[in-house]
Amino acid sequence: MIIMKNIFNEQCITYSQMNLIFNARIFWRRLTIWTRIYIVSRYLGIGTAEVSFDRLYLENLDFGDMLRILFSRSISDEYSQLLNQFSIGLRELITAQLEGDLDAVRQNIDRLLQNADQRAAFLASINPYFNEEEWRNLLITYLQDTIEEASLFASGDYRMDIEYFDRLIALTNTMGDTFAQALYDYITSGAENANNLPPQDSQRCLTYEQMNLIYDIRMFWFDLIDWVRALMLSKYNDVGNEDEVYARLQQVVAEYVNNLNEFFGETPGANELQVELNAYVSLIDSLITAQKAGNTEEIDRITRQLYQNADERAASVSSINPFWDENEWRTRLYNNLRSTLEESTMFLTGDYARNLDIFSTLMDQAESSSDYFAQGLLNYLFL
């Protein structure tokens, strides 16, 4: 049987197709972030491993819910179980490595490779547009990169950590695109579940390049909270090179503003925003230093400056695009700031269970803000 594919038209990505791609990419991004947090908890004792694992487990269930839109409950549940087997296999691998049991390490790596085979075969069995060999290669590469990242934390040598994590993030985009393409082919093939198909709004579309630019802009919110957390880990717990993490956080800001300028053209608001975001990064760094020193006066002063900085950023962002409301952004930035301040305090006190609750909130805030941001970009293009 010849499978005819409806490859995404790079000159016309519809709104529904774009959302399909974004949702798939964001799932892999969230999974990678929570996997990293779990790895840190196991090797460095930062946080409760059981709580971190529970967060990872919930991400797998959420992915099953996404599949349920097109496939049956039993299919989504079965794939969630396969994802959880991957997480369990990773847990057992780390346990064996910590115990120095090399035989168990090899056995668990074999189980994880078998899980990659099973997931690739399962995807191909539910949708002929999932290429089994392609997905086996992607999942094995993801497994290998994850194990390499874990090995860095096991060794305490963090020199390559930023490079490995960036590589994993890039891989999540490829996996998201490949996953979305297969779902799109399934949707447009006349397959079952026609009542659940998203509208094919072909009259409003973007180029693939525009879609990627919008995605890169909205991912700023995830990158910001993730690398701020990495800075906290570095300063509070000596995880990684503090200067390198700080530089990576500044790179997040620079890439974000460059993307805004590419989308809107050079604007005074974007240039002001870059100055304000760099000030935010510097203030967060100073806040952590003051908290470690127990300097309450300095903490209060910096906190006031952070809220003033949020006001300035809300004004700058709203000046770039009329579809971004200043008051809405002020509320979102205040919420993010309150959560970030509390996250830092929980690192200081060692309350890692509460710390993970806060980071989960920050992840949800990032996704909500990125949705709002993307809608403003689309309104700017289409209205």
Side-chain angles (χ1 to χ4, degrees), residues 120-369:
F122 182 78
L123 288 173
S125 74
I126 65 172
N127 178 355
Y129 299 101
F130 282 120
N131 183 293
E132 183 174 349
E133 182 178 357
E134 180 181 31
W135 271 99
R136 182 180 297 107
N137 291 334
L138 285 170
L139 292 171
I140 288 175
T141 301
Y142 186 85
L143 170 62
Q144 290 170 337
D145 287 351
T146 300
I147 291 175
E148 287 180 4
E149 184 183 36
S151 297
L152 291 177
F153 286 102
S155 67
D157 183 354
Y158 307 115
R159 285 175 296 178
M160 299 293 289
D161 175 51
I162 292 175
E163 179 180 332
Y164 278 136
F165 188 64
D166 282 344
R167 193 164 72 189
L168 271 166
I169 292 302
L171 181 59
T172 64
N173 289 347
T174 300
M175 296 171 80
D177 284 1
T178 306
F179 200 91
Q181 177 68 72
L183 291 184
Y184 172 67
D185 288 333
Y186 181 84
I187 287 169
T188 56
S189 68
E192 298 177 7
N193 304 316
N195 292 333
N196 291 329
L197 304 186
Q200 296 303 305
D201 45 354
S202 57
Q203 291 184 1
R204 300 177 65 185
C205 58
L206 308 95
T207 66
Y208 200 77
E209 182 180 2
Q210 287 174 318
M211 183 203 71
N212 277 330
L213 183 57
I214 292 172
Y215 177 79
D216 288 342
I217 291 172
R218 70 179 294 183
M219 284 302 100
F220 164 76
W221 303 101
F222 289 93
D223 290 337
L224 183 66
I225 64 167
D226 200 38
W227 288 107
V228 165
R229 182 178 181 83
L231 182 65
M232 292 178 183
L233 277 169
S234 179
K235 290 179 72 70
Y236 281 119
N237 301 96
D238 296 321
V239 178
N241 184 294
E242 182 180 322
D243 292 337
E244 290 179 1
V245 175
Y246 189 91
R248 183 63 181 82
L249 190 49
Q250 289 182 310
Q251 182 183 333
V252 168
V253 171
E255 289 173 351
Y256 169 60
V257 174
N258 286 340
N259 287 332
L260 286 177
N261 282 329
E262 185 175 345
F263 190 93
F264 293 103
E266 293 285 339
T267 64
N271 295 330
E272 292 170 3
L273 186 60
Q274 182 162 9
V275 173
E276 291 154 2
L277 279 167
N278 282 327
Y280 168 78
V281 171
S282 177
L283 286 168
I284 290 294
D285 184 63
S286 298
L287 175 76
I288 298 169
T289 300
Q291 286 188 311
K292 289 177 66 178
N295 188 337
T296 55
E297 289 186 6
E298 184 70 357
I299 292 169
D300 290 343
R301 183 187 69 81
I302 294 171
T303 300
R304 289 193 297 271
Q305 287 186 320
L306 280 166
Y307 277 101
Q308 180 181 348
N309 175 268
D311 290 338
E312 293 167 352
R313 283 190 285 147
S316 295
V317 167
S318 62
S319 73
I320 297 171
N321 183 357
F323 298 101
W324 292 328
D325 180 74
E326 181 175 351
N327 289 330
E328 174 69 22
W329 272 115
R330 183 180 296 108
T331 298
R332 289 178 179 275
L333 292 175
Y334 277 16
N335 289 338
N336 170 269
L337 182 55
R338 280 192 289 268
S339 296
T340 302
L341 293 173
E342 193 174 359
E343 180 186 26
S344 183
T345 301
M346 294 305 104
F347 268 120
L348 178 69
T349 62
D351 187 348
Y352 295 119
R354 176 61 184 150
N355 182 283
L356 286 184
D357 285 340
I358 296 164
F359 188 71
S360 180
T361 298
L362 280 163
M363 286 269 280
D364 292 340
Q365 289 172 350
E367 187 161 352
S368 174
S369 292

Side-chain angles (χ1 to χ4, degrees), residues 21-29 173 176-177 208 212 215:
I21 294 169
F22 283 178
N23 288 338
R25 285 182 178 182
I26 287 172
F27 162 74
W28 292 108
R29 172 70 66 97
N173 289 347
D177 284 1
Y208 200 77
N212 277 330
Y215 177 79

Side-chain angles (χ1 to χ4, degrees), residues 70-87:
L70 292 176
F71 305 102
S72 68
R73 177 184 291 272
S74 62
I75 285 176
S76 65
D77 288 347
E78 187 169 351
Y79 193 71
S80 292
Q81 290 174 10
L82 288 170
L83 276 172
N84 284 324
Q85 287 174 17
F86 168 80
S87 301

Side-chain angles (χ1 to χ4, degrees), residues 84-94 108 111-112:
N84 284 324
Q85 287 174 17
F86 168 80
S87 301
I88 292 168
L90 180 64
R91 181 180 65 186
E92 298 305 313
L93 171 63
I94 293 173
N108 281 292
R111 291 191 188 103
L112 286 166

